[in-house]
């Protein structure tokens, strides 16, 4: 089986649920592409030697795939929202876990420090872009309810910030 289909050579693609072809620079593809980019950044972090971080990344990657699939199908019903809301609670729990291990934050910080922390800050910045694009997409698509997705992405960026600080401290960077 070939990896290429040639279906997108005209600069158009379609969502999972319909055959209506959209320009590849459509907002929905910007959202899904940014979620994919975020997922790729997180995948790199599976190589970190900070054990607490390695354990949380795969579940977050699965969440991002799930959210992307809901967007590609243009669905988000009650049981989808319930699942995402449960994951939001887990992100909050994880944020609390990492933040309690960090020193109190008294001022703004510059992204950087260790390689892993720097990569987490890049992932956080991409996450914030995904959030902005998702908000814009949902404003323009009143048939799709994704408020829980916005909350999830917002909590994820908070978690990535806390984890970046934790990784710096764990790896001897202030």
């Amino acid at each position: 089986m070939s990896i290429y289909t040639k279906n997108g050579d005209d600069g158009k693609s379609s969502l999972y649920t319909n055959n209506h072809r959209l320009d590849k620079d459509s907002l929905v593809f910007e959202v899904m592409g940014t979620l994919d980019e975020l997922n790729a950044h997180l995948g790199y972090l599976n190589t970190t030697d900070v054990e607490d971080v390695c354990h949380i990344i795969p579940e977050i990657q699965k969440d991002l795939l799930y959210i992307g699939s809901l967007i590609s199908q243009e669905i988000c019903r009650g049981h989808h929202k319930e699942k995402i809301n449960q994951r939001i609670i887990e992100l909050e729990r994880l944020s609390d876990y990492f933040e309690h291990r960090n020193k109190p934050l008294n001022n703004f910080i510059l992204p950087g420090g260790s390689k892993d922390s720097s990569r987490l800050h890049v992932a956080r910045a991409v996450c914030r872009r995904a959030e902005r694009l998702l908000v814009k997409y949902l404003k323009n698509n009143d048939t799709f309810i994704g408020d829980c997705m916005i909350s999830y992405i917002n909590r994820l960026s908070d978690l990535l910030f806390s984890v970046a600080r934790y990784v710096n401290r764990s790896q001897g960077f202030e």
Side-chain angles (χ1 to χ4, degrees):
M1 181 175 163
S2 177
I3 188 73
Y4 54 88
T5 64
K6 301 182 184 181
N7 290 337
D9 289 355
D10 62 352
K12 294 186 182 291
S13 189
S14 57
L15 295 176
Y16 182 77
T17 56
N18 61 37
N19 290 326
H20 179 70
R21 310 264 304 152
L22 300 170
D23 291 331
K24 286 189 174 184
D25 65 353
S26 295
L27 187 54
V28 67
F29 296 124
E30 287 291 327
V31 171
M32 291 190 311
T34 304
L35 291 173
D36 185 40
E37 180 184 350
L38 173 57
N39 209 333
H41 282 292
L42 292 174
Y44 187 87
L45 289 162
N46 278 324
T47 65
T48 185
D49 62 354
V50 181
E51 205 171 299
D52 292 357
V53 176
C54 288
H55 294 306
I56 68 168
I57 297 298
E59 287 304 311
I60 293 169
Q61 288 184 288
K62 290 175 191 174
D63 292 344
L64 293 172
L65 282 175
Y66 181 69
I67 289 170
S69 75
L70 294 177
I71 292 169
S72 73
Q73 298 174 65
E74 295 186 307
I75 58 169
C76 192
R77 297 191 178 94
H79 64 284
H80 301 120
K81 292 178 86 168
E82 185 178 314
K83 180 177 178 174
I84 294 170
N85 284 330
Q86 286 300 311
R87 292 298 298 150
I88 290 168
I89 292 168
E90 178 62 12
L91 293 183
E92 290 171 348
R93 187 192 68 74
L94 290 168
S95 288
D96 291 343
Y97 171 85
F98 287 105
E99 201 53 37
H100 282 93
R101 284 153 182 77
N102 289 331
K103 290 182 180 177
L105 190 61
N106 298 320
N107 54 330
F108 290 105
I109 64 168
L110 293 174
S114 72
K115 286 181 182 180
D116 291 337
S117 178
S118 296
R119 288 183 179 103
L120 280 157
H121 281 294
V122 170
R124 177 189 51 79
V126 172
C127 188
R128 288 289 189 200
R129 178 166 28 101
E131 182 181 13
R132 291 188 303 272
L133 289 168
L134 184 58
V135 167
K136 185 184 252 185
Y137 172 69
L138 293 173
K139 277 185 186 176
N140 295 320
N141 188 341
D142 57 358
T143 62
F144 184 70
I145 301 168
D147 55 335
C148 60
M149 294 177 191
I150 294 170
S151 296
Y152 178 91
I153 298 298
N154 186 282
R155 291 309 182 292
L156 179 56
S157 64
D158 294 339
L159 173 62
L160 294 173
F161 179 77
S162 293
V163 174
R165 293 180 58 227
Y166 174 81
V167 166
N168 261 344
R169 190 159 185 221
S170 297
Q171 294 178 336
F173 289 83
E174 289 296 321

